[in-house]
Amino acid sequence: MSEGLAAPGPGDPGATALLYLCMEVAGCPTVCRHCWAQGSGYGAMPLADIEWVLEQAHRFCDDQGVGFDAYPMHEVAAHPDAARLFGLFNSHSGTVRGCADGRAGTMFEPLTTTGVPLVVRDDWREVLRAAADTGTLNLWTAFHGAGDVHDRQAGHRGAFAETCRGIQRALAAGVSVGSNVFLTTVSLPQPDELTAMLPLLGVHATSIETASFLPTPRSRRNERLRPALPDLLPAAARITRLTALPDRWADLEARTEAAWVSRAKAGDWPDVPDPAPGDLALVCRPNLDVYSGLAGLYRTRHGNLRTDGVAVVLGRALAHGRQRNDELWFGPGPLPAPDELAARHGDAAPQASYEPPGWARYPRVWERAAEISRGPSPELPSVLVHRDFHPGNVLWRRGKVSGVVDWQAACTGPAAADVAHCRVNLLTLGTDAAERFTALWQHASGTAFHPWADVVTIIGFLDDLRDDWGPEGLLVEDMLARAVAQLGGSSR
């Protein structure tokens, strides 16, 4: 295989040295809430299509003097022909030493899997043997909690038991097993249980990490499951003793959003190298559509390999040029500098704790509200939201609204977020004003207001509410109690 450089495209941060093709060959039997790759349960790409795409794309890159590599997503072990895919993809790899010429190198070390496919297929021994024959020594899986907690996070009833069974099958086939344990607000109480259980299953290493969330609709719906610093600090010392990577749990305060925002504003942002310099990241969907992006993230469509032709589609992709991964995730287009991003969107003063205000009459309501705010959000339509919508940002002329100002924090999200923010601000005029505003909005929008928005808004004000708000604070607490009661919690 020859390697060379393709000229930068418009907006390209550098020349393309390697075309990296994520091929969506098999969907996931689980749909994990915080999955970086946004896996879902689509059908398998036929083996003949996989072979054709690899051969044609590899040949195109050789002709262009550009390196080539490809990786099967999302769950290679779920593909009906999984046993043939390990050697096939290794034979086309231009980056893993020893792959292309049949030596011991493999891109499947470790082989990442939920373990579920190894339980639901009869040829699991053949699949694991094929992976081992190409150099796989370790299987790496993940837990999002124990029992039903894991099942809910993975979106698959019985997933916890099936993953445990998959680990046992891997060990029976002579493949070593390691595991991640991803912590959310619901699994945070369980690391002791999991780390005691996993060695009994035969897991040789466990890395405990907080679940991470990316700017995708699925992550936005579920990112309130991410533990905050006050949740993690009491458990940090214990987790440090349990995890294989204890350094990740040292000095948690320095790894918060607030700490990074402060560094950015101070001009102390570290020089972060491009993790994949020269790589042009593309995704090939099961129908052979090709996009700029990463697995589960589809940006610019370049065409269909079968109907438009490999040379045309990949030629368009090369001409379009490469983007850094962070620009793919947060684009389109180049990102502003870190200090500008921090000024526009960052929070340098995060919520210190979820303890109720000292003046609270209903501490149990506040505790339940904090749980709701850190749990999954309801599936509400996403629209442009202001994020600081209140009477002071509304302009009037001759009794009519003439404009809304102060849009620097705007983003996409549920409209109820703006309504709730305004409701809380209107409590300075009394509960009736807040309720009348809500009724008018519901009439105009044809949409019912969701009490979840009141909960997350008021919990977001919690640090400010620790000051004595006088009678207005009691109105806020009453609003919170009504919302919690509507969501199935105690109102007192």
Side-chain angles (χ1 to χ4, degrees):
M1 179 181 69
S2 59
E3 295 189 8
L5 297 176
D12 190 345
T16 296
L18 181 137
L19 189 152
Y20 185 83
L21 189 63
C22 272
M23 294 183 62
E24 295 188 340
V25 303
C28 295
T30 59
V31 183
C32 302
R33 291 186 177 184
H34 72 96
C35 174
W36 75 267
Q38 304 295 283
S40 58
Y42 57 84
M45 183 185 293
L47 178 61
D49 283 355
I50 298 172
E51 293 173 327
W52 180 80
V53 169
L54 288 172
E55 181 64 32
Q56 296 297 316
H58 198 159
R59 181 178 301 163
F60 170 85
C61 288
D62 281 351
D63 292 343
Q64 298 296 316
V66 175
F68 176 72
D69 206 351
Y71 191 87
M73 294 296 288
H74 280 83
E75 177 64 277
V76 63
H79 195 279
D81 297 296
R84 298 181 60 180
L85 296 186
F86 303 114
L88 179 61
F89 275 87
N90 278 332
S91 69
H92 285 278
S93 175
T95 60
V96 180
R97 187 176 300 276
C99 277
D101 58 10
R103 297 200 304 272
T106 180
M107 64 176 66
F108 304 102
E109 177 50 45
L111 170 60
T112 56
T113 175
T114 63
V116 174
L118 300 178
V119 176
V120 299
R121 60 187 308 154
D122 295 329
D123 62 343
W124 59 272
R125 288 186 183 275
E126 288 78 6
V127 170
L128 290 168
R129 186 181 303 116
D133 287 345
T134 59
T136 297
L137 302 174
N138 296 278
L139 181 144
W140 203 270
T141 187
F143 287 95
H144 309 276
D148 291 342
V149 171
H150 175 86
D151 290 358
R152 287 194 295 272
Q153 296 303 304
H156 179 75
R157 187 186 296 266
F160 180 79
E162 290 175 353
T163 297
C164 292
R165 180 63 175 149
I167 290 171
Q168 293 173 328
R169 288 190 165 182
L171 294 170
V175 177
S176 183
V177 179
S179 179
N180 289 330
V181 172
F182 292 113
L183 296 182
T184 62
T185 54
V186 290
S187 64
L188 187 57
Q190 297 182 316
D192 293 282
E193 178 182 351
L194 284 166
T195 53
M197 178 201 72
L198 294 179
L200 297 177
L201 280 174
V203 174
H204 70 86
T206 301
S207 175
I208 304 176
E209 306 174 26
T210 55
S212 59
F213 297 87
L214 289 158
T216 63
R218 187 195 307 181
S219 280
R220 291 301 189 208
R221 287 196 300 271
N222 293 292
E223 66 181 334
R224 293 188 179 277
L225 292 166
R226 176 170 42 202
L229 183 62
D231 302 313
L232 295 171
L233 284 175
R238 185 174 82 256
I239 292 172
T240 299
R241 295 191 298 268
L242 298 173
T243 182
L245 299 171
D247 290 349
R248 296 186 178 183
W249 289 87
D251 195 13
L252 288 179
E253 292 88 345
R255 301 176 62 191
T256 62
E257 177 185 345
W260 286 107
V261 167
S262 297
R263 290 187 65 177
K265 288 183 174 180
D268 185 30
W269 193 262
D271 183 16
V272 181
D274 188 341
D279 287 13
L280 172 61
L282 301 176
V283 182
C284 179
R285 303 299 313 276
N287 68 347
L288 306 191
D289 279 353
V290 170
Y291 292 79
S292 292
L294 304 164
L297 179 73
Y298 319 113
R299 292 304 189 197
T300 303
R301 182 180 181 274
H302 300 296
N304 185 278
L305 293 173
R306 185 72 74 179
T307 59
D308 298 318
V310 172
V312 170
V313 174
L314 298 187
R316 289 172 184 164
L318 283 176
H320 182 265
R322 65 178 301 271
Q323 295 172 276
R324 289 172 59 112
N325 287 356
D326 53 359
E327 291 176 0
L328 288 171
W329 281 113
F330 293 93
L335 295 179
D339 58 343
E340 183 181 347
L341 281 172
R344 286 164 55 181
H345 303 293
D347 182 4
Q351 194 152 294
S353 79
Y354 291 95
E355 291 297 318
W359 50 260
R361 297 164 295 169
Y362 317 129
R364 284 172 50 188
V365 167
W366 291 92
E367 292 168 4
R368 177 61 185 137
E371 293 174 359
I372 293 170
S373 74
R374 300 197 300 268
S377 58
E379 294 192 10
L380 300 173
S382 186
V383 299
L384 176 67
V385 293
H386 185 279
R387 289 187 67 200
D388 192 20
F389 185 74
H390 60 79
N393 280 331
V394 179
L395 304 181
W396 295 80
R397 185 180 183 188
R398 297 177 182 175
K400 294 183 178 181
V401 173
S402 61
V404 178
V405 298
D406 197 14
W407 286 89
Q408 67 263 28
C411 65
T412 57
D418 277 348
V419 178
H421 190 89
C422 193
R423 279 167 55 82
V424 174
N425 279 271
L426 285 171
L427 288 178
T428 57
L429 304 176
T431 300
D432 288 347
E435 295 303 328
R436 175 164 169 72
F437 164 75
T438 308
L440 290 170
W441 175 81
Q442 290 183 132
H443 177 74
S445 67
T447 304
F449 176 72
H450 200 296
W452 166 85
D454 274 348
V455 171
V456 296
T457 299
I458 294 172
I459 290 298
F461 281 134
L462 189 49
D463 287 339
D464 292 334
L465 287 166
R466 298 189 198 290
D467 300 329
D468 187 0
W469 280 33
E472 187 181 340
L474 302 182
L475 294 180
V476 171
E477 187 176 43
D478 288 340
M479 178 180 283
L480 182 67
R482 288 192 295 272
V484 168
Q486 288 177 275
L487 294 170
S490 171
S491 63
R492 293 293 186 271

